Amino acid sequence: GAMNVSDTVISRIYWGFDPKTLFMRIDTVQGPLTDEMREAAIEVYIDTERHRRLRLVPPSGEERAQLIIEESEDGEGWKQIEISDRIGVEKTIEVAVDFERLGLKEDDEVRFHVAVNKGHIEIERWPRNGYIEFPVPGKDFEAAMWFV
């Protein structure tokens, strides 16, 4: 899938999946390594029974980019549960995260949105209303998608 909006920090979002992994590519208007982007936080909110948040941390100095996975019971107080290096940041931001790490199993509904925050203020949300939604693929996903 893809989304595109004008006059924003994010210019486009792509997402896809295989049976085990959610993949995302986030394009920014000015590029993710500008000073303006370092002041903003790009976060992906996964709406599950126990809320999950992916914080996309760009590289800084000698530090590599990080994907920080956090969990919350109420969507307010967040607790870090994992730091992943399955993130790439250059001209775009690319992320891969296993559905299992998001607390999702096959046939669960994936519901997420992407937010740009400055401080504690959300300045941008993709999509503006609602969520990006699709089911976690089951065991027969590949067989159902391919035919000869």
Side-chain angles (χ1 to χ4, degrees), residues 28-144:
T28 61
V29 174
Q30 296 185 2
L33 300 177
T34 63
D35 288 339
E36 180 183 343
M37 284 305 301
R38 289 184 193 284
E39 294 173 11
I42 297 178
E43 300 174 338
V44 180
Y45 291 85
I46 313 291
D47 185 30
T48 63
E49 211 171 283
R50 294 181 67 86
H51 304 276
R52 299 289 166 103
R53 176 171 71 180
L54 308 177
R55 287 194 307 124
L56 314 180
V57 181
S60 177
E62 296 296 313
E63 297 289 320
R64 296 180 57 185
Q66 293 181 329
L67 173 63
I68 299 174
I69 303 171
E70 298 173 322
E71 180 179 75
S72 172
E73 289 184 27
D74 58 7
E76 298 292 324
W78 295 94
K79 178 181 81 172
Q80 180 177 305
I81 58 174
E82 183 177 341
I83 297 177
S84 172
D85 63 356
R86 294 183 72 188
I87 180 172
V89 180
E90 285 193 24
K91 292 182 180 180
T92 65
I93 301 168
E94 296 179 344
V95 173
V97 62
D98 292 344
F99 290 115
E100 180 182 315
R101 297 282 187 246
L102 300 175
L104 297 166
K105 59 188 181 317
E106 72 178 53
D107 300 322
D108 282 350
E109 191 69 16
V110 177
R111 293 171 37 108
F112 74 92
H113 75 274
V114 179
V116 179
N117 301 313
K118 284 198 176 180
H120 295 290
I121 299 170
E122 183 177 282
I123 61 170
E124 189 173 325
R125 185 184 196 283
W126 289 64
R128 288 190 179 151
N129 299 302
Y131 298 91
I132 298 166
E133 300 180 60
F134 60 90
V136 175
K139 288 184 176 77
D140 63 345
F141 169 73
E142 289 180 345

Side-chain angles (χ1 to χ4, degrees), residues 16-33:
F17 52 88
D18 68 17
K20 293 184 179 188
T21 308
L22 170 63
F23 300 98
M24 276 185 260
R25 179 178 129 185
I26 300 171
D27 295 351
T28 61
V29 174
Q30 296 185 2
L33 300 177

Side-chain angles (χ1 to χ4, degrees), residues 7-21:
D7 297 326
T8 60
V9 172
I10 294 175
S11 62
R12 198 171 285 241
I13 297 174
Y14 299 90
W15 69 94
F17 52 88
D18 68 17
K20 293 184 179 188
T21 308

